[in-house]
Amino acid sequence: MTPRLGVCYYPEHWPEDMWAEDAREMVEMGLSLVRIGEFAWSRLEPREGEFHFEWLDRAINTLGSAGLKVVLGTPSATPPKWIVDKFPDMLAVDKEGRPRKFGSRRHYCFSHQGYREFAAQMASRLAERYADNDHIEFWQTDNEYGCHDTTLSYSDNARKAFRHWLKERYGNKPLNETWGNVFWSMDYETFDDVDLPNLTVTEPNPAHSMDFRRFTSEQVRNWDLAQVEAIRKHCSKPISHNYMGRITEFDHFRLGDHLDIATWDSYPLGFLEDRSDRDEEFKHTFSRMGDPDFQAFHHDLYRTVGKGRWGVMEQQPGPVNWAPYNPAPKPGMVRVWSHEAFAHGAEFVCYFRWRQPSFAQEQMHTALKRPDNTPYPVCDEIRHVATEIRNLTHARPKAEIGLVFDYRSQWAWEIQPQGQGFDYFKLVFEYYGALRQLGVNIDIVDLEKSGLSDYKALIIPGLFAFSDAMKEQLDNFKGHLILGPRTNSKDENFKTNLTSVSAQLGKPISLDMVESLRPGTVVELVNGGHFKIWNECHKTEAQTEELKADGYPAVIRNGKCVYMAGWPNSEKLLEVIETELTKAGCKTYKQPGYNRRQSIGMHEFQLNYEAQSAVIKG
Ligand code: GAL
């Protein structure tokens, strides 16, 4: 199978007499996939019970007859005004208790049962109508769960559902004891006494907050499942969802369990400006190329979420409109980004969007074509990619190294950072960056479910609490294990776990003290390098491989297991990882600067994120 290109298209935005020519041009450009429909509710059902599917029939037919395969989105990210009027309590409520308003998108609360059923019914209607339509290749549910900070909702419906969830989870188990509610006289008499953990005077009980985060994640999953079940009643075609970059409020692995394909929306320049921890100088240097590791991290993540089947549903083609600054990509970068996705095993890359509208919120967001229908120069770049990928065979990249990412750990350390600089995503991303400098293929691992037998080395930084399933996986793992700070330092109920990684290390390890460090404060390591942000002081019977200036071990080893007792500076991190990978028998390919390497099947990709051209030695 050859990887494919596609585009996002909104037939409802353009006069119908443009559709056929648009479709012809898409095919001529080398595109074979087109996604439509995901925001079209007000045109499909302008008033309750009044359906207008005929225009969509014609759009699908026009696109399909031109030779395109259609991805059909369910329109639930944009409930129209009449639905909000029907269910005024369906709006999500923010942490400050303010309802979100109608007038943009994603304004619903995942806990509103009425809207959940409405959305599932719409999905069911679409599936019934198009189940046998050969032009449709697969489905997309909703659009970008969690985008615009819309996962956590503090509505009355959420409160009611949370209480119910607690009853189901704890039943007769003593909630007060499990959470430790004796502290500050927080004991509850019944589950109905428990409120949502917002608007408290100071921080709520972390166990309470953690359960709210678990509950919320499950609400998103169940919300999606309602649509998936509705579609599957009529249609057996694959179902996908388009995830976003660095959205961590729900567990994507668990949502992905019931989907067939994972897709994600890749906006390298928007992400660098909008959601990156890099410093100003870095942002300045890479403002037209994007972060050299951010896209790849998500490619590897969503390959796991999709259980191997994944693609880029929205690829930035030019300046966007939503980041603090919106520069144009350096000519050639759209080609680099597209190939990078294929190098990580994407089945397709779709560009966002076909034509730039001259109206509404995204009128400043570029596309492949301008509002007057003339093409942007990026169209030539895309044509070029379309020719290049003809000789590429789609495959799943093989990796000897697994890096664990765990959504619960993101929630846990948001709830209890213990130091402003401690962010779980940032920690894992720094490990990922070190691996990328070594030019190796990486799998992002879901420790609950991914099989581990392919890996010579497994890396686990900052994982909050090992579940029983995770413990079992690790007990059976035969390769090298690199564990980072804070790993397993809690139990699942957010109680301190004093034995942390003793089981994995095979020797007791006990914590004397932990401290967080303000920017600029570091703890030196005796043989060079330092810990920043986070420092742990342990006693252990395992071997001290490196010592800190405070007299405690920095790197602890027993056999194939290594524990880093703090957050290392980047050179130290690279050194420790490189040494361990060599011991594990992994071949590494140190990269010059920000060139990146990835291999797939017979192909090796070299991706140049530097501003200047690079010469590759064969
Ligand atoms: C995505 C979204 C699209 C569009 C795009 C603009 O997050 O899915 O609908 O808004 O951003 O960059």
Side-chain angles (χ1 to χ4, degrees):
M1 189 175 65
T2 318
R4 299 151 73 191
L5 299 179
V7 71
C8 304
Y9 185 54
Y10 299 89
E12 68 275 25
H13 294 177
W14 307 104
E16 197 165 331
D17 58 13
M18 292 181 85
W19 296 354
E21 181 56 13
D22 285 343
R24 193 195 64 73
E25 283 180 22
M26 290 174 195
V27 174
E28 181 271 324
M29 199 179 281
L31 312 181
S32 58
L33 215 54
V34 58
R35 185 197 60 184
I36 61 171
E38 81 278 12
F39 300 127
W41 198 322
S42 73
R43 296 300 162 104
L44 292 173
E45 190 184 9
R47 281 158 289 277
E48 186 168 2
E50 184 187 319
F51 295 103
H52 293 279
F53 289 118
E54 304 74 25
W55 68 265
L56 187 59
D57 298 348
R58 293 195 297 275
I60 293 171
N61 192 39
T62 306
L63 295 162
S65 309
L68 295 154
K69 285 289 178 196
V70 175
V71 180
L72 187 55
T74 66
S76 47
T78 48
K81 183 73 166 62
W82 65 261
I83 300 191
V84 179
D85 290 343
K86 184 180 172 74
F87 299 124
D89 63 340
M90 69 172 274
L91 297 167
V93 173
D94 74 8
K95 202 167 184 178
E96 305 304 320
R98 297 169 301 210
R100 317 295 292 261
K101 279 188 174 176
F102 179 82
S104 65
R105 62 178 172 184
R106 300 217 53 76
H107 38 280
Y108 65 87
C109 170
F110 285 103
S111 293
H112 194 276
Q113 205 52 37
Y115 182 54
R116 184 187 294 194
E117 278 158 27
F118 249 62
Q121 269 166 29
M122 176 49 99
S124 168
R125 280 202 176 88
L126 288 166
E128 194 176 3
R129 190 171 186 96
Y130 299 113
D132 300 322
N133 188 313
D134 288 340
H135 298 315
I136 292 181
E137 185 162 314
F138 64 94
W139 296 90
Q140 173 182 299
T141 53
D142 205 282
N143 189 78
E144 290 182 347
Y145 290 132
C147 194
H148 315 307
D149 196 12
T150 51
T151 307
L152 294 157
S153 171
Y154 299 85
S155 68
D156 291 344
N157 289 299
R159 182 181 304 105
K160 212 168 109 206
F162 182 50
R163 287 173 178 163
H164 178 74
W165 184 90
L166 287 173
K167 268 180 221 162
E168 298 271 300
R169 183 176 170 89
Y170 292 102
N172 295 329
K173 267 189 264 145
L175 179 79
N176 287 328
E177 214 175 293
T178 312
W179 283 5
N181 287 331
V182 58
F183 196 76
W184 289 350
S185 279
M186 295 181 299
D187 289 310
Y188 298 106
E189 280 294 313
T190 73
F191 289 110
D192 289 336
D193 287 343
V194 184
D195 210 326
L196 299 178
N198 65 326
L199 296 172
T200 51
V201 172
T202 181
E203 63 177 301
N205 186 337
H208 181 179
S209 298
M210 191 66 188
D211 268 343
F212 179 60
R213 302 297 296 261
R214 286 196 181 97
F215 152 80
T216 299
S217 180
E218 285 180 28
Q219 291 296 88
V220 180
R221 180 181 187 279
N222 293 335
W223 207 90
D224 187 74
L225 190 58
Q227 288 201 30
V228 166
E229 283 172 349
I231 294 172
R232 290 215 170 108
K233 277 202 186 109
H234 304 286
C235 181
S236 58
K237 289 183 183 166
I239 309 178
S240 71
H241 175 73
N242 60 332
Y243 304 98
M244 240 300 195
R246 202 173 179 172
I247 294 273
T248 50
E249 286 80 14
F250 65 95
D251 189 332
H252 294 45
F253 295 125
R254 298 293 70 83
L255 195 139
D257 280 341
H258 65 240
L259 292 173
D260 306 293
I261 303 175
T263 77
W264 83 284
D265 299 344
S266 180
Y267 291 90
L269 305 190
F271 291 146
L272 181 68
E273 293 294 349
D274 189 56
R275 55 194 68 177
S276 159
D277 300 311
R278 306 283 196 178
D279 61 24
E280 281 304 309
E281 193 191 329
F282 188 98
K283 289 186 183 177
H284 177 70
T285 307
F286 289 96
S287 72
R288 296 192 187 281
M289 283 83 79
D291 187 308
D293 297 322
F294 195 87
Q295 290 65 253
F297 178 88
H298 288 85
H299 294 336
D300 291 340
L301 172 68
Y302 291 126
R303 189 173 63 248
T304 303
V305 171
K307 294 159 286 188
R309 290 208 64 187
W310 75 282
V312 174
M313 189 44 82
E314 299 180 15
Q315 172 63 64
Q316 173 170 6
V320 300
N321 65 314
W322 46 263
Y325 307 98
N326 296 298
K330 189 173 153 59
M333 277 324 286
V334 172
R335 175 170 168 250
V336 173
W337 297 332
S338 307
H339 279 301
E340 187 169 43
F342 295 131
H344 287 258
E347 292 179 21
F348 49 83
V349 170
C350 296
Y351 301 97
F352 186 87
R353 60 175 70 203
W354 178 246
R355 193 166 31 244
Q356 182 173 1
S358 57
F359 49 86
Q361 281 93 327
E362 288 179 355
Q363 54 184 269
M364 298 300 287
H365 190 299
T366 49
L368 305 196
K369 304 196 82 186
R370 300 189 180 89
D372 66 1
N373 208 22
T374 56
Y376 277 107
V378 73
C379 289
D380 291 334
E381 217 172 300
I382 293 171
R383 274 197 192 87
H384 186 47
V385 177
T387 326
E388 288 174 315
I389 60 174
R390 276 194 213 132
N391 297 323
L392 205 62
T393 316
H394 169 262
R396 189 173 177 179
K398 292 210 177 333
E400 296 179 329
I401 298 145
L403 173 64
V404 171
F405 187 73
D406 172 59
Y407 287 89
R408 298 168 323 143
S409 303
Q410 179 70 35
W411 313 334
W413 305 141
E414 270 170 29
I415 291 166
Q416 193 181 72
Q418 178 66 9
Q420 258 182 37
F422 198 100
D423 179 81
Y424 175 73
F425 182 94
K426 179 172 152 70
L427 178 70
V428 177
F429 191 61
E430 286 194 13
Y431 277 68
Y432 185 80
L435 290 167
R436 293 268 288 169
Q437 286 179 58
L438 295 171
V440 292
N441 281 10
I442 307 149
D443 274 352
I444 302 285
V445 167
D446 162 20
L447 196 52
E448 285 281 330
K449 288 209 172 162
S450 304
L452 303 180
S453 56
D454 289 345
Y455 305 123
K456 290 184 177 165
L458 187 68
I459 306 180
I460 313 179
L463 196 142
F464 146 79
F466 288 141
S467 64
D468 290 343
M470 292 176 174
K471 281 184 203 148
E472 201 184 318
Q473 292 249 61
L474 292 174
D475 285 349
N476 296 324
F477 180 63
K478 300 278 179 292
H480 283 243
L481 202 54
I482 306 177
L483 302 169
R486 286 189 105 165
T487 294
N488 206 31
S489 58
K490 304 284 169 184
D491 73 8
E492 296 216 65
N493 298 315
F494 227 115
K495 292 209 174 100
T496 303
N497 176 16
L498 293 170
T499 56
S500 84
V501 295
S502 301
Q504 288 69 40
L505 204 54
K507 295 269 183 185
I509 175 169
S510 72
L511 194 62
D512 265 7
M513 186 201 71
V514 62
E515 60 173 348
S516 60
L517 306 169
R518 63 179 353 276
T521 306
V522 300
V523 175
E524 301 290 346
L525 271 58
V526 171
N527 293 332
H530 60 256
F531 285 167
K532 56 182 183 176
I533 300 172
W534 191 261
N535 178 42
E536 293 172 3
C537 300
H538 291 280
K539 287 207 178 68
T540 180
E541 289 169 23
Q543 176 197 342
T544 296
E545 203 161 68
E546 288 220 31
L547 201 63
K548 288 182 282 165
D550 62 12
Y552 283 98
V555 181
I556 301 167
R557 168 182 298 281
N558 187 31
K560 290 181 178 176
C561 182
V562 168
Y563 184 79
M564 272 188 265
W567 189 317
N569 63 310
S570 48
E571 292 79 11
K572 187 82 228 166
L573 181 60
L574 183 64
E575 184 191 310
V576 172
I577 289 183
E578 190 175 9
T579 309
E580 207 53 30
L581 293 192
T582 309
K583 283 190 178 153
C586 304
K587 197 163 164 33
T588 55
Y589 311 81
K590 228 188 202 139
Q591 297 297 293
Y594 284 98
N595 285 303
R596 292 296 182 241
R597 176 189 177 278
Q598 171 79 10
S599 63
I600 186 167
M602 312 262 301
H603 308 282
E604 178 172 323
F605 286 75
Q606 291 282 344
L607 302 140
N608 182 11
Y609 269 86
E610 303 271 358
Q612 62 283 352
S613 55
V615 178
I616 296 161
K617 297 196 193 94

